[in-house]
Structures are given as structure tokens and as C-alpha cells.
Amino acid sequence: MTATVSKTDTKTMTMVAAINDALDLALQQDDTVHIFGEDVGVMGGVFRATDGLQARYGVDRVFDTPLAEAAIVGMGIGMGLAGLKPVAEIQFAGFLYPALDQVLSHLGRYRHRTRSRYHLPMVVRAPYGGGVHTPEQHADSPEAILAHTPGIKVVIPSTPADAKGLLLSAINDPDPVFFFEAIKLYRSVKEEVPVGDYRVPLGKARLVTEGDDVTVICYGGMVEVAQKAAAAARTAGIGVEVIDLRTLVPLDTETILDSVQKTGRVVVVTEAPRTGGFHSEISATIAEEAIECLRAPIIRVTGFDAPYPPFTAIEDVYRPNAVRVAKAIKAVMGY
């Protein structure tokens, strides 16, 4: 869980500012940390997550790459095996697909391939998800592909403080970590973020709100949606427990199951396509481990089995919202 800090130990930040702060601190603390990707150097990234870092640490440690995702990940693999700590940026998560050969065939395999003689401390950052009407392939949610790949950890923060703490933990993890950042949350949320070296452990979920009637499980950009639905449910006398997973791999099944045993009703919310999404893995885990506790079928509130719609208002239909989540809460309560 996040550490308790006094007001004097914090600074108000957006999520993108907190990410920049974490990267700055990592570069300052460890000379083996290198940051690279499309436009991360001179431009400071399309969302300015790396703003000012090249000027501060030089072109050898923060540098631009060609538009070549396979080369970005492949180069990072070599750097990690050589003893560096590469932090690569894929400009949007939907651009990752050309690099999947490097990811699936190499990135997650080296600890197993070398019988733990080598590890690969690499972080791949990528903005993901919708809510801001982007072009095609700029709002994809491919986290299930990575979660299905052995040897890779998957982290998705929902708050500025967690973004900083989880990113520093990811950079210092001995294994490869994909770090997805919800685009909609980059500047829409501000909160107090601990200054200095601050870590949030991987594999520990966050209890956002407590309740006795329904458990809503979510992560990333869907946490604020779940919170709005939970607030609406409270006005109807329904107590909703919202769990922010923070990390998909490793998954905090203990927190999930503890909540399910208390409420007996579950709604899982993600913005990824419905079929084969990580929401299904969560649902299956609950069915295997706590089916006798369930008072109603698990309901998934997700995107649709179609490409994420670019630009148009159709996005507001595709992406789960508080109304859809509230309807699911009502449905499990009325079963």
C-alpha cells in the first residue's frame, strides 16, 4: 500500500508530471538508467512525460529513436542483458504490435531461457485507452496480450501518486515490466504526490472505496468511472467496494477474494474488447476460488469486439461509463 506522508513531504502533481518526476529521479539515482523512444528527447514526448530530461542528462541517456517499435524493444533487450536499465517508450500502446515478435519471443523468456543466470530489467512505457477522441490505434488497450505472456509484469496506475511509486518500483524490478498510462488521466487529475524516492510495491491492489454489497474491480482509466458509479449507488443505499488492481501481473488475488467473500457480488470493468480480455481472467479466478460466495453471476462491463472508434462521438458508446457500470451494479443486486 502507499506510504503515509505528511503535507510537507508532498507536491501537487498531475499524472504526467508525476511520471516525469519518477523518470528524473531514476536517472539521477542510477547511471545505468537510459530512456529512449520516438520523440522522447528533444520534444520531451508527445505528452511531455520526458520533458526536460535530455537537457538535464544528455543525449547519451535520453535519446530519440526512429519510428521502429520492433527496434526499440529489441535494442532495449540488448541493453538490459548488457547490464543497463532501459526505459523504452512506445508512443501509443496501439503502436506496439510490430514489436510483438521481440516481446513474445524474447523479452519475457530470458530468465527461463538462461535458467535464471540472466535477468532483464526493462520497462516499456505506453499511453493507452480512450476518452480523448484520438485517431485510430491511439486508444487501444492491449494489456491482455502482455498479461498472457510469461515472464512479463503488467502495471497500470490510476492516480499520480501511484504512477510515480509504481514506475520507480518497475524501473528497479529485475524483470521486464510493461507500464501502461491512461491517456485520459494524464492531466485530468491532480493530487498530492510524495517527493523524493517513493515506491509502491508491484502486486498490491488499492482499496478505493469500501462497501458490503458489491465489489467493482477495475484499473487505469476505469477507476474514476467505477468511483462515479459507486457514488451513484450509494444514493440508492448500495455499498460498493471499488478495487483498483494497479498491477495485472502479479495479480493481488488475496484482496480480490477477501472482497468477494464479503460482498458476494462482482462487476469487472475494463475498456478493452470483451472477448479474451483480462476481465475474463479475473472472473475465472473468482469462479475457481470463491464460487460458493457468489450471490449473483459476475458481470463484465467492457469495450466491444470491434476496433476502438477513432475521433467520433461513437467513442462515448464504446468506452464504459458510469451509467453502464451502475446498471451492472443494479443487475447483480437484483439477481
Coordinates of all heavy atoms in Angstrom, one line a residue, residues 197-253:
D197 N 12.3 9.8 -3.3 CA 12.2 8.3 -3.6 C 11.0 7.7 -3.0 O 10.9 7.6 -1.7 CB 13.5 7.6 -3.2 CG 13.6 6.2 -3.8 OD1 12.6 5.8 -4.5 OD2 14.6 5.6 -3.7
Y198 N 10.0 7.3 -3.8 CA 8.7 6.8 -3.3 C 8.4 5.6 -4.1 O 8.3 5.7 -5.3 CB 7.7 7.9 -3.4 CG 6.3 7.5 -3.1 CD1 5.9 7.1 -1.8 CD2 5.3 7.4 -4.1 CE1 4.6 6.7 -1.6 CE2 4.1 7.0 -3.9 CZ 3.7 6.6 -2.6 OH 2.4 6.2 -2.4
R199 N 8.1 4.5 -3.4 CA 7.8 3.2 -4.1 C 6.4 2.7 -3.7 O 6.1 2.7 -2.5 CB 8.9 2.2 -3.8 CG 10.3 2.6 -3.9 CD 10.8 2.7 -5.3 NE 12.2 3.2 -5.4 CZ 13.2 2.5 -5.4 NH1 13.1 1.2 -5.4 NH2 14.4 3.0 -5.5
V200 N 5.7 2.2 -4.6 CA 4.5 1.4 -4.4 C 4.8 0.0 -4.9 O 5.2 -0.2 -6.0 CB 3.3 2.0 -5.2 CG1 2.1 1.1 -5.0 CG2 3.0 3.4 -4.7
P201 N 4.7 -1.0 -4.0 CA 5.0 -2.4 -4.4 C 4.2 -2.9 -5.6 O 3.0 -2.7 -5.6 CB 4.9 -3.2 -3.1 CG 3.9 -2.4 -2.3 CD 4.2 -1.0 -2.6
L202 N 4.8 -3.6 -6.5 CA 4.0 -4.3 -7.5 C 3.3 -5.5 -6.9 O 3.8 -6.2 -6.0 CB 5.0 -4.8 -8.6 CG 5.9 -3.8 -9.3 CD1 6.6 -4.4 -10.4 CD2 5.2 -2.5 -9.7
G203 N 2.1 -5.7 -7.4 CA 1.3 -6.9 -6.9 C 0.4 -6.6 -5.7 O -0.1 -7.5 -5.1
K204 N 0.2 -5.3 -5.4 CA -0.7 -5.0 -4.3 C -1.8 -4.0 -4.8 O -1.5 -2.9 -5.2 CB 0.1 -4.3 -3.2 CG -0.7 -4.0 -1.9 CD -1.3 -5.2 -1.3 CE -2.2 -4.8 -0.1 NZ -2.9 -6.0 0.4
A205 N -3.0 -4.5 -4.7 CA -4.1 -3.7 -5.2 C -4.4 -2.6 -4.2 O -4.0 -2.6 -3.0 CB -5.4 -4.5 -5.4
R206 N -5.2 -1.6 -4.6 CA -5.6 -0.5 -3.7 C -7.1 -0.5 -3.5 O -7.9 -0.6 -4.5 CB -5.2 0.9 -4.4 CG -5.6 2.1 -3.6 CD -5.1 3.4 -4.3 NE -5.7 3.6 -5.6 CZ -6.7 4.5 -5.8 NH1 -7.1 5.2 -4.8 NH2 -7.2 4.7 -7.0
L207 N -7.5 -0.4 -2.3 CA -9.0 -0.4 -1.9 C -9.4 1.1 -2.0 O -9.0 1.9 -1.2 CB -9.2 -0.9 -0.5 CG -10.6 -1.1 -0.1 CD1 -11.3 -2.2 -1.0 CD2 -10.7 -1.6 1.4
V208 N -10.2 1.4 -3.0 CA -10.6 2.8 -3.3 C -11.7 3.3 -2.4 O -11.7 4.3 -1.8 CB -10.9 3.0 -4.8 CG1 -11.3 4.4 -5.1 CG2 -9.8 2.5 -5.7
T209 N -12.8 2.5 -2.4 CA -13.9 2.7 -1.5 C -14.3 1.4 -0.9 O -14.2 0.3 -1.5 CB -15.1 3.3 -2.3 OG1 -15.6 2.4 -3.3 CG2 -14.7 4.6 -2.9
E210 N -14.8 1.4 0.3 CA -15.3 0.2 1.0 C -16.8 0.1 0.9 O -17.5 1.1 0.9 CB -14.9 0.3 2.5 CG -13.4 0.2 2.7 CD -13.0 0.0 4.1 OE1 -13.6 -0.9 4.7 OE2 -12.1 0.7 4.6
G211 N -17.3 -1.1 0.8 CA -18.7 -1.4 0.8 C -19.0 -2.8 1.0 O -18.1 -3.7 0.9
D212 N -20.2 -3.1 1.4 CA -20.6 -4.5 1.8 C -21.5 -5.2 0.8 O -21.7 -6.4 1.0 CB -21.4 -4.5 3.1 CG -20.5 -4.0 4.3 OD1 -19.3 -4.3 4.3 OD2 -21.0 -3.2 5.1
D213 N -21.9 -4.5 -0.3 CA -22.9 -5.2 -1.2 C -22.4 -5.7 -2.5 O -22.8 -6.7 -3.0 CB -24.1 -4.1 -1.4 CG -24.8 -3.7 -0.2 OD1 -25.1 -4.6 0.7 OD2 -25.0 -2.5 0.0
V214 N -21.5 -4.9 -3.1 CA -21.0 -5.2 -4.5 C -19.5 -4.9 -4.5 O -19.1 -3.8 -4.0 CB -21.7 -4.5 -5.6 CG1 -21.2 -4.8 -7.0 CG2 -23.2 -4.7 -5.5
T215 N -18.7 -5.8 -5.2 CA -17.3 -5.5 -5.5 C -17.2 -5.1 -6.9 O -17.6 -5.8 -7.8 CB -16.5 -6.7 -5.2 OG1 -16.5 -7.1 -3.8 CG2 -15.0 -6.5 -5.6
V216 N -16.6 -3.9 -7.2 CA -16.3 -3.5 -8.5 C -14.8 -3.5 -8.7 O -14.1 -2.8 -8.0 CB -16.8 -2.1 -8.8 CG1 -16.4 -1.6 -10.2 CG2 -18.4 -2.1 -8.7
I217 N -14.3 -4.3 -9.7 CA -12.9 -4.5 -9.9 C -12.5 -3.8 -11.2 O -13.1 -3.9 -12.2 CB -12.5 -6.0 -10.0 CG1 -12.9 -6.7 -8.7 CG2 -11.0 -6.1 -10.2 CD1 -12.9 -8.2 -8.8
C218 N -11.4 -2.9 -11.1 CA -11.1 -2.1 -12.3 C -9.6 -1.7 -12.2 O -8.9 -2.1 -11.3 CB -11.9 -0.9 -12.4 SG -12.0 0.0 -10.8
Y219 N -9.1 -1.0 -13.2 CA -7.8 -0.5 -13.2 C -7.6 0.7 -14.2 O -8.5 0.9 -15.0 CB -6.7 -1.6 -13.5 CG -7.0 -2.4 -14.7 CD1 -6.6 -1.9 -16.0 CD2 -7.7 -3.6 -14.7 CE1 -6.9 -2.7 -17.1 CE2 -8.0 -4.3 -15.8 CZ -7.5 -3.9 -17.0 OH -7.8 -4.6 -18.2
G220 N -6.6 1.5 -14.0 CA -6.3 2.5 -15.0 C -7.4 3.5 -15.2 O -8.0 4.0 -14.2
G221 N -7.8 3.8 -16.4 CA -8.8 4.8 -16.7 C -10.2 4.4 -16.3 O -11.1 5.3 -16.2
M222 N -10.4 3.2 -15.9 CA -11.8 2.8 -15.5 C -12.0 3.0 -14.0 O -13.2 2.9 -13.5 CB -12.0 1.3 -15.8 CG -12.2 1.0 -17.3 SD -13.7 1.8 -18.0 CE -13.0 3.3 -18.8
V223 N -11.0 3.4 -13.2 CA -11.2 3.6 -11.8 C -12.1 4.8 -11.5 O -13.0 4.7 -10.7 CB -9.8 3.7 -11.1 CG1 -10.0 4.0 -9.6 CG2 -9.0 2.4 -11.2
E224 N -11.8 5.9 -12.2 CA -12.7 7.1 -12.0 C -14.1 6.8 -12.4 O -15.1 7.3 -11.8 CB -12.1 8.3 -12.7 CG -12.1 8.2 -14.2 CD -11.7 9.6 -14.8 OE1 -11.5 10.5 -14.1 OE2 -11.8 9.7 -16.1
V225 N -14.3 6.0 -13.5 CA -15.6 5.6 -13.9 C -16.3 4.8 -12.8 O -17.5 5.0 -12.5 CB -15.6 4.8 -15.2 CG1 -16.9 4.2 -15.6 CG2 -15.0 5.7 -16.3
A226 N -15.6 3.8 -12.2 CA -16.2 3.0 -11.2 C -16.5 3.8 -9.9 O -17.5 3.6 -9.3 CB -15.2 1.9 -10.8
Q227 N -15.7 4.8 -9.6 CA -16.0 5.6 -8.5 C -17.3 6.4 -8.7 O -18.0 6.6 -7.7 CB -14.8 6.6 -8.2 CG -13.5 5.9 -7.7 CD -12.4 6.9 -7.5 OE1 -11.7 7.2 -8.4 NE2 -12.3 7.5 -6.3
K228 N -17.5 7.0 -9.9 CA -18.7 7.7 -10.1 C -19.9 6.8 -10.0 O -21.0 7.2 -9.4 CB -18.7 8.3 -11.5 CG -17.7 9.4 -11.7 CD -17.6 9.9 -13.1 CE -16.5 11.0 -13.3 NZ -16.4 11.4 -14.7
A229 N -19.8 5.5 -10.5 CA -20.9 4.6 -10.4 C -21.2 4.2 -8.9 O -22.3 4.1 -8.5 CB -20.6 3.3 -11.2
A230 N -20.1 4.0 -8.2 CA -20.2 3.7 -6.7 C -20.9 4.8 -6.0 O -21.7 4.6 -5.1 CB -18.9 3.4 -6.2
A231 N -20.6 6.1 -6.3 CA -21.2 7.2 -5.6 C -22.7 7.3 -5.9 O -23.5 7.5 -5.0 CB -20.5 8.5 -6.1
A232 N -23.1 7.0 -7.2 CA -24.5 6.9 -7.5 C -25.2 5.8 -6.8 O -26.3 6.0 -6.3 CB -24.6 6.8 -9.1
A233 N -24.6 4.7 -6.7 CA -25.2 3.5 -6.0 C -25.4 3.8 -4.5 O -26.4 3.4 -3.9 CB -24.3 2.3 -6.2
R234 N -24.5 4.6 -3.9 CA -24.6 4.9 -2.5 C -25.9 5.7 -2.2 O -26.5 5.5 -1.2 CB -23.4 5.7 -2.0 CG -22.2 4.8 -1.6 CD -21.2 5.6 -0.8 NE -20.7 6.8 -1.5 CZ -19.6 6.7 -2.3 NH1 -19.0 5.5 -2.4 NH2 -19.1 7.7 -2.9
T235 N -26.3 6.5 -3.2 CA -27.5 7.3 -3.0 C -28.7 6.4 -3.0 O -29.8 6.8 -2.5 CB -27.7 8.4 -4.1 OG1 -27.8 7.7 -5.4 CG2 -26.5 9.3 -4.2
A236 N -28.6 5.2 -3.5 CA -29.7 4.2 -3.5 C -29.5 3.2 -2.4 O -30.2 2.2 -2.3 CB -29.8 3.5 -4.9
G237 N -28.6 3.5 -1.5 CA -28.4 2.6 -0.4 C -27.6 1.4 -0.6 O -27.6 0.4 0.2
I238 N -26.8 1.3 -1.7 CA -26.0 0.2 -2.1 C -24.5 0.5 -1.8 O -24.0 1.5 -2.3 CB -26.1 -0.2 -3.6 CG1 -27.6 -0.5 -3.9 CG2 -25.2 -1.3 -4.0 CD1 -27.8 -0.6 -5.4
G239 N -23.9 -0.3 -1.0 CA -22.5 -0.1 -0.6 C -21.6 -0.8 -1.6 O -21.6 -2.1 -1.7
V240 N -20.8 -0.1 -2.3 CA -19.9 -0.6 -3.4 C -18.4 -0.5 -2.9 O -18.0 0.5 -2.6 CB -20.1 0.2 -4.7 CG1 -19.1 -0.4 -5.8 CG2 -21.5 0.1 -5.2
E241 N -17.8 -1.6 -3.0 CA -16.3 -1.7 -2.8 C -15.6 -1.7 -4.1 O -15.7 -2.6 -4.9 CB -16.0 -3.0 -2.0 CG -14.6 -3.0 -1.5 CD -14.4 -3.7 -0.2 OE1 -14.9 -3.2 0.8 OE2 -13.9 -4.9 -0.2
V242 N -14.8 -0.6 -4.3 CA -14.1 -0.4 -5.6 C -12.6 -0.8 -5.3 O -12.0 -0.3 -4.4 CB -14.2 1.0 -6.1 CG1 -13.3 1.2 -7.3 CG2 -15.6 1.4 -6.4
I243 N -12.1 -1.8 -6.1 CA -10.8 -2.2 -6.1 C -10.0 -1.8 -7.3 O -10.4 -2.1 -8.4 CB -10.7 -3.8 -5.9 CG1 -11.3 -4.2 -4.6 CG2 -9.2 -4.2 -6.0 CD1 -11.4 -5.7 -4.4
D244 N -8.9 -1.1 -7.1 CA -8.0 -0.7 -8.2 C -6.9 -1.7 -8.2 O -6.1 -1.7 -7.3 CB -7.5 0.7 -8.0 CG -6.4 1.2 -8.9 OD1 -6.2 0.4 -9.9 OD2 -5.8 2.2 -8.7
L245 N -6.8 -2.5 -9.2 CA -5.8 -3.6 -9.2 C -4.4 -3.1 -9.2 O -3.5 -3.7 -8.7 CB -6.0 -4.5 -10.4 CG -7.3 -5.3 -10.4 CD1 -7.3 -6.2 -11.7 CD2 -7.4 -6.2 -9.2
R246 N -4.1 -1.9 -9.9 CA -2.8 -1.4 -10.0 C -1.9 -2.2 -10.9 O -1.3 -1.8 -11.8 CB -2.1 -1.2 -8.7 CG -2.5 -0.1 -7.8 CD -1.8 -0.1 -6.5 NE -1.9 1.0 -5.7 CZ -1.6 1.0 -4.4 NH1 -1.2 -0.1 -3.8 NH2 -1.6 2.1 -3.7
T247 N -1.7 -3.5 -10.6 CA -0.9 -4.4 -11.4 C -1.8 -5.6 -11.8 O -2.5 -6.2 -11.0 CB 0.4 -4.9 -10.7 OG1 0.0 -5.6 -9.5 CG2 1.3 -3.7 -10.3
L248 N -1.7 -6.0 -13.1 CA -2.4 -7.2 -13.5 C -1.5 -8.4 -13.3 O -2.0 -9.5 -13.0 CB -2.8 -7.1 -15.0 CG -3.5 -5.8 -15.4 CD1 -4.0 -5.9 -16.8 CD2 -4.6 -5.5 -14.4
V249 N -0.2 -8.2 -13.6 CA 0.8 -9.3 -13.3 C 1.9 -8.7 -12.5 O 2.6 -7.8 -13.0 CB 1.3 -9.9 -14.6 CG1 2.3 -11.0 -14.3 CG2 0.2 -10.4 -15.5
P250 N 2.1 -9.1 -11.3 CA 1.4 -10.1 -10.5 C 0.0 -9.5 -10.0 O -0.1 -8.3 -9.8 CB 2.3 -10.3 -9.3 CG 3.1 -9.1 -9.1 CD 3.3 -8.5 -10.5
L251 N -0.9 -10.4 -9.9 CA -2.3 -10.1 -9.6 C -2.5 -10.3 -8.1 O -2.2 -11.3 -7.5 CB -3.3 -10.9 -10.4 CG -4.8 -10.6 -10.1 CD1 -5.2 -9.2 -10.6 CD2 -5.6 -11.7 -10.9
D252 N -3.1 -9.3 -7.4 CA -3.4 -9.4 -6.0 C -4.7 -10.1 -5.8 O -5.7 -9.5 -5.5 CB -3.5 -8.0 -5.4 CG -3.6 -8.0 -3.9 OD1 -3.7 -9.1 -3.3 OD2 -3.7 -6.9 -3.3
T253 N -4.7 -11.5 -5.9 CA -5.9 -12.3 -5.7 C -6.4 -12.2 -4.3 O -7.6 -12.4 -4.1 CB -5.6 -13.7 -6.2 OG1 -4.5 -14.2 -5.4 CG2 -5.3 -13.8 -7.6

